[in-house]
Amino acid sequence: MNLHALYHQTTVPYAYPLDEEHLYVRLRAAKGDLSEVKVYYRDRYQWPALYKIKTLKKSYADKLFSYYDTALALHRNRYAYYFVLRTKEGR
């Protein structure tokens, strides 16, 4: 996996609210590196921390990168999230 190609930030165009209860997230990776991208997310103030899981879909690819995205839904729009990546080799 090309770690230098991985990119995400918590501002536009990689994360932004769609409405009061949905957050759009995007991750960039080297083209052809990943077979699966999942995001684990939760309300950052909910205890115990119960994560929801959603698989991101590849929405676009250019010569160098693939872009994965999805919309997350939480009632109060107070997100904590992280990505889990699976390579083509299964790691």
Side-chain angles (χ1 to χ4, degrees), residues 15-60:
Y16 57 86
L18 295 172
D19 56 34
E20 290 183 10
E21 295 185 0
H22 294 88
L23 179 72
Y24 173 86
V25 293
R26 175 184 291 161
L27 177 79
R28 185 190 76 186
K31 186 174 183 177
D33 261 6
L34 302 178
S35 62
E36 183 178 56
V37 179
K38 291 187 177 189
V39 61
Y40 287 66
Y41 66 101
R42 68 176 179 89
D43 181 332
R44 76 175 93 178
Y45 300 113
Q46 178 184 356
W47 295 104
L50 302 173
Y51 283 90
K52 297 179 181 183
I53 305 168
K54 193 159 185 187
T55 300
L56 281 72
K57 294 185 180 178
K58 186 177 358 177
S59 61
Y60 179 74

Side-chain angles (χ1 to χ4, degrees), residues 5-8 13-14 24-34 37 56-70 83 85:
L6 291 176
Y7 187 72
H8 174 76
Y14 287 88
Y24 173 86
V25 293
R26 175 184 291 161
L27 177 79
R28 185 190 76 186
K31 186 174 183 177
D33 261 6
L34 302 178
V37 179
L56 281 72
K57 294 185 180 178
K58 186 177 358 177
S59 61
Y60 179 74
D62 58 23
K63 291 181 182 180
L64 299 175
F65 303 111
S66 294
Y67 297 86
Y68 299 84
D69 60 11
T70 194
F83 298 102
L85 314 175

Side-chain angles (χ1 to χ4, degrees), residues 70-88:
T70 194
L72 309 178
L74 281 180
H75 175 63
R76 294 188 181 139
N77 208 6
R78 304 181 305 189
Y79 293 90
Y81 62 90
Y82 65 92
F83 298 102
V84 174
L85 314 175
R86 182 168 304 278
T87 64
K88 297 279 184 180

